[in-house]
């Protein structure tokens, strides 16, 4: 089992899909996009990666995720390839972490009958559980990122530049860099600053108080509701 952690947008999902596609191509006799590859005999590929909601399914997104995991646990063998992407994020954080931990332990407890499983997650709290990370058969990997630190003045409060190297290496995640993703998505800076403030207060166990903002500040961050050529809805 390989547990992959790393920042947002660092390539975790792409890495899992690349492994699945490479395994499939090898088994149908095709070339694989690699300089070299050792692909063991695989009897099935199980995934928990995409959950498509539909009124016909009569199930929530999390129920669809659970169904995929259930099929994986009931039908996978030691020769199966299992890909688990962000399982548990469809419900509250506490329940999501608990379900992910229980599922990973279920597979590890199989011992030599554990399938070849790759899982990626943002629940780095799992890395603090010795009863999981110290289990035989588990490898901890992360997506390598480079944080470009530049000399800044005290008045410069911009975020450090982050460059994702899209390379999987042994190790653990050092952060999600979610605020950098928000900045790249052009989220108003005041919103990002407030998110950082709330996160620091929660980590310190201090109360989160309302922040006074003028109407002018709020109005300056709003995007015009109707641009030229766009419908107002």
């Amino acid at each position: 089992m390989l547990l992959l952690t790393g920042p947002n947008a660092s390539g975790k999902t792409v890495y899992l899909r690349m492994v699945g596609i490479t395994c499939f191509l090898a088994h149908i006799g095709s070339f694989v996009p690699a300089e070299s590859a050792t692909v063991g005999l695989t009897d099935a590929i199980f995934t928990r990666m995409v959950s498509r909601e539909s009124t016909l399914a009569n199930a929530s997104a999390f129920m669809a995720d659970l169904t995929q995991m259930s099929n994986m646990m009931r039908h996978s063998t030691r020769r199966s390839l299992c890909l688990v992407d962000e399982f548990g994020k469809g419900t509250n954080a506490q329940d999501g972490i608990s379900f992910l931990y229980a599922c990973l332990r279920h597979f590890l407890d199989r011992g030599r009958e554990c399938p070849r499983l790759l899982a990626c997650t943002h629940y780095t709290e799992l890395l603090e559980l010795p009863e999981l990370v110290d289990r035989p058969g588990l490898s901890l990997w992360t997506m390598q990122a480079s944080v470009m630190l530049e000399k800044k003045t005290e008045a410069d409060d911009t975020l450090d530049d982050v460059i994702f190297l899209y390379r999987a290496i042994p190790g653990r995640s050092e952060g999600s860099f979610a605020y950098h993703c928000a900045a790249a998505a052009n989220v108003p800076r005041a919103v990002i600053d407030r998110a950082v403030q709330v996160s620091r207060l929660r980590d310190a166990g201090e109360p989160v108080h309302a922040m006074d903002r003028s109407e002018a500040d709020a109005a300056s961050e709003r995007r015009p509701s109707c641009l030229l050529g766009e419908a107002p809805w």
Side-chain angles (χ1 to χ4, degrees):
M1 180 183 295
L2 186 151
L3 183 59
L4 182 64
T5 55
N8 291 291
S10 62
K12 299 186 298 299
T13 298
V14 173
Y15 182 79
L16 262 63
R17 293 184 177 184
M18 178 190 68
V19 171
I21 291 174
T22 300
C23 180
F24 178 79
L25 290 174
H27 277 70
I28 64 174
S30 173
F31 74 94
V32 298
E35 293 181 357
S36 64
T38 302
V39 182
L41 182 63
T42 303
D43 59 12
I45 299 177
F46 295 92
T47 66
R48 198 332 297 160
M49 302 190 71
V50 178
S51 296
R52 301 189 184 281
E53 296 185 73
S54 171
T55 55
L56 299 178
N58 193 28
S60 65
F62 186 56
M63 175 64 80
D65 292 351
L66 289 171
T67 301
Q68 293 175 356
M69 288 298 296
S70 175
N71 289 333
M72 187 183 302
M73 289 186 284
R74 291 178 180 275
H75 302 298
S76 62
T77 70
R78 62 186 299 267
R79 290 194 178 277
S80 300
L81 174 63
C82 300
L83 306 175
V84 181
D85 182 18
E86 299 291 349
F87 174 67
K89 68 179 182 180
T91 185
N92 70 73
Q94 186 65 32
D95 290 345
I97 294 173
S98 301
F99 268 112
L100 178 58
Y101 166 81
C103 290
L104 296 181
R105 276 299 302 265
H106 168 84
F107 286 112
L108 287 172
D109 289 344
R110 293 187 185 181
R112 294 182 59 86
E113 297 303 314
C114 178
R116 292 173 288 232
L117 188 147
L118 282 74
C120 68
T121 182
H122 283 293
Y123 291 144
T124 54
E125 296 88 341
L126 293 175
L127 305 181
E128 306 302 324
L129 301 176
E131 59 271 22
L132 175 67
V133 298
D134 293 340
R135 294 282 299 180
L138 175 66
S139 298
L140 300 179
W141 282 49
T142 187
M143 299 302 293
Q144 189 175 10
S146 177
V147 181
M148 308 300 292
L149 299 177
E150 300 178 353
K151 294 182 179 180
K152 299 181 179 180
T153 63
E154 294 182 359
D156 187 358
D157 60 352
T158 57
L159 297 171
D160 296 322
D161 293 330
V162 178
I163 298 177
F164 297 123
L165 304 181
Y166 306 115
R167 182 183 299 126
I169 60 172
R172 306 184 181 200
S173 174
E174 298 181 356
S176 67
F177 296 102
Y179 307 119
H180 298 78
C181 289
N186 204 26
V187 174
R189 183 53 194 264
V191 175
I192 299 176
D193 291 341
R194 178 57 168 166
V196 172
Q197 180 189 45
V198 171
S199 178
R200 290 173 178 171
L201 290 173
R202 286 177 57 85
D203 289 342
E206 299 178 4
V208 178
H209 299 290
M211 181 175 63
D212 294 331
R213 297 174 62 234
S214 67
E215 293 185 4
D217 291 339
S220 65
E221 298 166 0
R222 285 199 296 267
R223 179 175 178 267
S225 59
C226 180
L227 297 179
L228 183 62
E230 290 186 348
W233 51 87

